[in-house]
Amino acid sequence: MMPRKALTPNQMWAALVAIAGHVPVPLTGRDYLELLPVRWQAITPAGITIHHRTYDHDLLAPYRGQASPVAGRGGKWEIHYNPHDVRQIWIRLPDGELTEIPWIHRDHVHQPFNDHTWQHIRTHAHHNNHDDSHQHEADLADALDQLMRRVHSGHATTTERALLARATTLPVPAARHPQYGTGPITGEPAHHGEDDSIDDLDDLPEDDTRPAAAAGFGLYDAYEEADKW
C-alpha cells in the first residue's frame, strides 16, 4: 500500500496489525531464552570465560578447544545470557538446543547479580596472587557472597544496597539443564506453577526494576529501560 515508504519494524507491525489483527501467543521457556542477548565465546579447556567468570560443565568436554560449526564467527560459540542474573549462561550446542551452563561458583552465591555488581567487586577486591586466576575468581565469589550477606543483615553501605537493588529476581524459564539430563526440551512451555508465560509481568509490584516489560516493550527494550533505573 505504501511501496516507497520507509518504515521501522514497529511502524510496519502497527500498520499491518491494524489491517489483519493479531492473536496473542504466550512465549514458552524456549522463546524466552532465544530472545535473551547473545554473545560469541570460545570454549577453552577451562570452560567459557566472561569478564573473569568461568562457566563450565561436563557437557562441554567434547567441545573444549573446538571451533563451533557456525561459519563467520571465528570458531566461537553462540551464548545467550540474562544481563540481570549472570550466574548461568546458555550455549547452543551442535544439536541446536540451548543448554544451561552454570558459573562454577554459582552454589556459593544464591542471589542474582549483574555485571555492574561484579565489576564493583573486582574493583574493590585485592588480588593477592596475580598468577592464580582460579583462586582470584574464588575470592571474588566470596567477596560477592559477603556483600550480599551485609545487605541482607542491614550492615551494607548505601552504595552496596544500591548495587544489589539493580539486580532483578525474574526467574528464567527452564531450558535443557545439565543437572536434569541432556534430552532436548520439547515445544511445550516449561511449567512453573501453571505456566511460564511472561504475560503475568503486568502483575509485578510497582517498585520492580522492569517496568518496560510490563508496559509491552520487547525484551531488549525492557533491558535497556531497566538499566536506566
Side-chain angles (χ1 to χ4, degrees), residues 11-31:
Q11 289 172 330
M12 179 67 79
W13 181 87
L16 294 179
V17 78
I19 297 173
H22 74 285
V23 177
V25 179
L27 295 181
T28 66
R30 175 185 295 190
D31 295 330

Side-chain angles (χ1 to χ4, degrees), residues 5-201:
K5 178 66 174 178
L7 299 175
T8 69
N10 281 341
Q11 289 172 330
M12 179 67 79
W13 181 87
L16 294 179
V17 78
I19 297 173
H22 74 285
V23 177
V25 179
L27 295 181
T28 66
R30 175 185 295 190
D31 295 330
Y32 187 98
L33 294 177
E34 291 287 354
L35 289 170
L36 288 173
V38 176
R39 61 184 300 147
W40 296 83
Q41 296 283 149
I43 303 178
T44 70
I48 300 168
T49 302
I50 302 175
H51 297 162
H52 298 270
R53 293 185 307 273
T54 304
Y55 299 85
D56 195 21
H57 191 274
D58 291 343
L59 282 174
L60 295 180
Y63 312 108
R64 299 184 193 279
Q66 302 297 313
S68 80
V70 181
R73 289 293 179 174
K76 294 184 177 181
W77 296 75
E78 180 183 346
I79 305 295
H80 291 230
Y81 65 98
N82 180 351
H84 304 295
D85 186 1
V86 295
R87 295 174 299 167
Q88 58 278 309
I89 57 175
W90 292 265
I91 183 171
R92 194 181 304 280
L93 294 177
D95 61 6
E97 299 294 340
L98 287 173
T99 300
E100 182 178 329
I101 305 297
W103 179 38
I104 61 174
H105 297 291
R106 182 171 67 177
D107 290 343
H108 192 57
V109 178
H110 302 287
Q111 290 180 241
F113 67 95
N114 55 29
D115 260 321
H116 187 71
T117 303
W118 179 253
Q119 295 303 330
H120 172 85
I121 293 295
R122 289 188 58 212
T123 300
H124 292 82
H126 180 62
H127 194 171
N128 294 317
N129 188 347
H130 294 275
D131 297 325
D132 192 345
S133 59
H134 294 290
Q135 183 58 50
H136 180 51
E137 184 175 353
D139 292 341
L140 291 175
D142 184 65
L144 180 59
D145 178 62
Q146 294 301 319
L147 167 62
M148 292 178 172
R149 291 177 183 274
R150 288 196 299 274
V151 172
H152 182 72
S153 65
H155 294 90
T157 66
T158 301
T159 299
E160 291 174 335
R161 291 196 300 272
L163 278 171
L164 291 192
R166 296 185 62 178
T168 66
T169 56
L170 178 65
V172 175
R176 183 171 59 178
H177 194 295
Q179 182 179 353
Y180 304 112
T182 59
I185 58 177
T186 68
E188 296 296 324
H191 295 286
H192 298 275
E194 292 299 322
D195 60 67
D196 71 339
S197 167
I198 63 172
D199 291 344
D200 59 1
L201 289 177

